[in-house]
Structures are given as structure tokens and as C-alpha cells.
Amino acid sequence: MMKLSTKGRYGARLMLDLAIHYDDGFVLLKDIAKRQDISEGYMEHLLPHLKAAGLINSLRGARGGYKLAKAPSEISLKEVVQSLEGPLTPAECVVAPSVCKRVSFCVTRDIWKEVGEKISQTLESVTLKDMVEMQKNKGKASLTYNI
Amino acid sequence: MMKLSTKGRYGARLMLDLAIHYDDGFVLLKDIAKRQDISEGYMEHLLPHLKAAGLINSLRGARGGYKLAKAPSEISLKEVVQSLEGPLTPAECVVAPSVCKRVSFCVTRDIWKEVGEKISQTLESVTLKDMVEMQKNKGKASLTYNI
DNA sequence: ATATTTCCTACTAATTTGATAGGAATAGTT
DNA sequence: AACTATTCCTATCAAATTAGTAGGAAATAT
Ligand code: FES
Ligand code: FES
């Protein structure tokens, strides 16, 4: 249905959480899971991908945890989603031409490619820092509403 | 993986095929299936959606078949994909807020919404007529190559 | 040593996707 | 009226993907 899987959605929230706590040193997965209300066990599966993509660092053992490998302003949402969901294209054959026999003359493929590029551009234009700012503003707004 | 399902992909090819044969009256599903190399039985499932969306007309019985309900220039790829895949948004909660408890303060949701709008815009800017033109140009190019 | 935490692997359950099958309803043709 | 060709409808099945759980090994600080 053209949906992101939970990998991408949970991953975005995970990274946003790490960005919010960027100055707090290593953050416990347990705490992220609690704050974001996501199963700790499931979220564990996301971390190797994020690490392989060079987006986070980890330390094990007591006092261990996770933290961003770069400043929030240096990490785009595109990197996050892509590391978890794979290529951001609506059709496999855009990135793996061998899966379709019709690649050489298929018009729809050209369009799927273009759509994928638009998605990439959009996600690339948003950094974790932007998201932290957005979150702060949201917090303010809801406080105002409560007065 | 942020992929379109075969519904959307096959549907786009089906509609392109109908657009190419727009002047030929009712077109047989059998012929579309043969030309596009898609299982006739499976493609059958797509047609009710396209019809419900007012994109095609059908006639049953002998000499029956399918044809576009509007001129190719009046049908955007967005309508086609949307009728088959549902809302063009990367996360369910954008369109059905009740599925997440965090809607009121969730930043990622705002972003998924924006991405969905970009996808919509891109698909909306392409009509079946555009696709037919693209196909013609492809045909020309490949002929040239063969000389 | 001990407690805490990441890391790794295997397994299971649930959902979605892709595909097939059989026949009812409809419309033209003879 | 009988016949043929086609859409239309529903049920079913198989395969693949996604979501989630479990158990324990490896590493690090105290
Ligand atoms: S959809 Fe893959 S080549 Fe057309
Ligand atoms: S992902 Fe649905 S509200 Fe955040």
C-alpha cells in the first residue's frame, strides 16, 4: 500500500529520541523504548542497520547505550529511512533492472524512478535537528493550549 | 520497503495499455494481459477498483471489453495508483489518526504527511497521455538503435 | 566477581500479497 | 432460442513479508 514498514517508522522515532538526548551521553535502549512506547525487543533489530550505516555508536556493558555518531544537523531522515528500508523507490526494477524483462521499453519504470527521487529529496531535506526543533514547537503549542 | 504492490504497478501498465488503444473501442482483457504479460486472472481483480473510481467503462458479453472513461489527458497517474493502493501516504496514521495514540505531538507524522503530499504531486503531474507520448519516444529511440 | 547492557541467532505468529478456480450474469450473433 | 464470448463475483490457496518473542553470548564498568 505504498506504506513504510515499522522499521522505517520506528527507526525515525528512535533516532529523533537519540537526537533529543544528544547531549546526555549514551542512552539506554530501555529508556528509548519506554519513552517511545515501542517494544524493546523489536527495536533491537533496527540498531544493527543504523550502526552499519554509521549513524549511531554503541557501548556495551554497564553504563553503555547508544548515541548518534554525528550531530543531529548532520543526519538526514533519508539516511535513517534508507538504512532501514532499503532503496527509496516504489518499484524494485528501478534499482535492480534484472527483475523485469521490460526494462528497456517500460515507461512506468521511468516514472517510478522519478517518484523515488522526489521521496529522496523530501527526506533528505529534513535533518534530525529540524525534527528536534519541530518537537520543541509542538511542546510549546500544547502547553499554550493548556493555559 | 516503501514499495508499490503489484496492484499499483500492474494497474499503471493496464491503464497505459488502455490509453494506447484509446481509439480502438472496447479492448479485451485477454489482449491487455497478453501485451503486458500479466496474468489475466490476477489483473481481473484490479478492474473493479478502477471502475469504482470512474476511470474505466466496461461492457460485457461478446464484443465487450474495457475502455477509458475519460480522455488519456484527463486521467492522472495519481488517480490510477490511488484507486488501487489507497491513500498515498507512508504511514497509516496520517489518514487515520486513531491508529496512533501519539498523533497530537508526533513530529514524524507531520513529515510522513509531507512526503505523501510530494508523492501525490508527482503522480498528479503525469497523465496517461504523457505516458503514451513517452512510450512513443521510447519506441522511436529503440528503432534508431537497431538501424 | 557481579551487574548491566549491547549483540546475535533462531523461532513463531500474524498479516499482506499474489495467484488460481469456478461459475453467474450479460450482451451480441446466428 | 440457442450459442458464444466476455465481464463480473466470490471463495480459496500459496507464498512472502512483517512484526514480535526468547534465550543466551560477549563486553564493560564498578
Ligand atoms: S515495471 Fe519493471 S520494467 Fe516496467
Ligand atoms: S507515527 Fe503515528 S502518530 Fe507518530
Side-chain angles (χ1 to χ4, degrees):
Chain A
M1 250 219 219
M2 197 56 185
K3 294 279 173 286
L4 232 37
S5 72
T6 56
K7 280 208 199 102
R9 297 200 322 276
Y10 287 2
R13 282 161 61 188
L14 193 172
M15 292 294 279
L16 170 60
D17 195 279
L18 282 180
I20 290 172
H21 297 90
Y22 184 54
D23 298 322
D24 304 356
F26 285 99
V27 177
L28 296 188
L29 178 56
K30 201 194 324 180
D31 292 339
I32 303 176
K34 202 172 297 170
R35 280 192 294 261
Q36 296 295 326
D37 194 23
I38 296 174
S39 144
E40 186 182 344
Y42 184 67
M43 208 156 46
E44 211 178 293
H45 292 319
L46 313 182
L47 295 156
H49 295 102
L50 294 167
K51 193 168 186 191
L55 301 178
I56 59 173
N57 292 136
S58 60
L59 179 67
R60 25 190 199 175
R63 308 288 271 171
Y66 297 93
K67 68 175 178 181
L68 297 184
K70 301 185 270 186
S73 62
E74 297 302 312
I75 299 178
S76 76
L77 189 52
K78 179 194 163 188
E79 298 173 87
V80 174
V81 174
Q82 205 166 38
S83 72
L84 292 165
E85 303 262 351
L88 298 173
T89 172
E92 195 64 26
C93 63
V94 171
V95 75
S98 60
V99 304
C100 284
K101 316 167 211 163
R102 325 186 115 242
V103 166
S104 66
F105 54 93
C106 180
V107 165
T108 57
R109 178 171 177 267
D110 295 342
I111 293 166
W112 304 145
K113 188 174 176 186
E114 200 183 322
V115 172
E117 280 158 10
K118 277 287 183 343
I119 296 173
S120 276
Q121 282 165 24
T122 308
L123 291 180
E124 192 154 32
S125 73
V126 182
T127 69
L128 293 184
K129 187 183 172 201
D130 296 331
M131 292 170 67
V132 173
E133 292 301 322
M134 287 169 73
Q135 187 71 78
K136 277 183 191 159
N137 290 337
K138 283 238 163 188
K140 242 182 250 160
S142 64
L143 272 179
T144 312
Y145 274 47
N146 285 342
I147 288 169
Chain B
M1 252 222 218
M2 197 56 185
K3 295 280 171 284
L4 231 37
S5 73
T6 55
K7 280 208 201 103
R9 297 201 321 277
Y10 288 1
R13 282 161 61 189
L14 193 171
M15 292 296 279
L16 171 59
D17 195 280
L18 282 180
I20 289 172
H21 297 91
Y22 184 54
D23 298 322
D24 303 355
F26 285 98
V27 178
L28 297 189
L29 179 55
K30 201 194 326 181
D31 293 338
I32 304 176
K34 203 172 296 170
R35 280 193 293 261
Q36 296 296 325
D37 194 23
I38 296 174
S39 144
E40 186 181 343
Y42 183 66
M43 208 156 45
E44 209 178 296
H45 293 319
L46 312 182
L47 294 155
H49 295 103
L50 295 166
K51 192 167 187 193
L55 301 178
I56 60 173
N57 291 138
S58 60
L59 180 67
R60 24 190 200 179
R63 308 287 271 174
Y66 297 93
K67 68 174 179 184
L68 297 184
K70 301 183 270 184
S73 62
E74 297 303 311
I75 300 178
S76 75
L77 190 52
K78 180 193 163 189
E79 297 173 88
V80 174
V81 173
Q82 204 165 39
S83 72
L84 293 165
E85 303 263 349
L88 297 173
T89 172
E92 195 63 26
C93 63
V94 171
V95 74
S98 60
V99 304
C100 284
K101 315 167 211 161
R102 325 186 115 241
V103 166
S104 65
F105 55 92
C106 180
V107 166
T108 58
R109 178 171 178 269
D110 295 341
I111 293 166
W112 305 144
K113 188 174 175 187
E114 200 184 322
V115 172
E117 281 159 7
K118 278 287 185 341
I119 296 173
S120 276
Q121 283 166 25
T122 308
L123 291 180
E124 192 154 31
S125 73
V126 182
T127 69
L128 292 184
K129 188 184 172 199
D130 297 331
M131 292 171 67
V132 173
E133 292 300 324
M134 287 169 74
Q135 187 72 77
K136 278 183 192 161
N137 290 337
K138 283 238 164 189
K140 243 183 251 161
S142 65
L143 272 180
T144 311
Y145 274 46
N146 285 342
I147 289 169

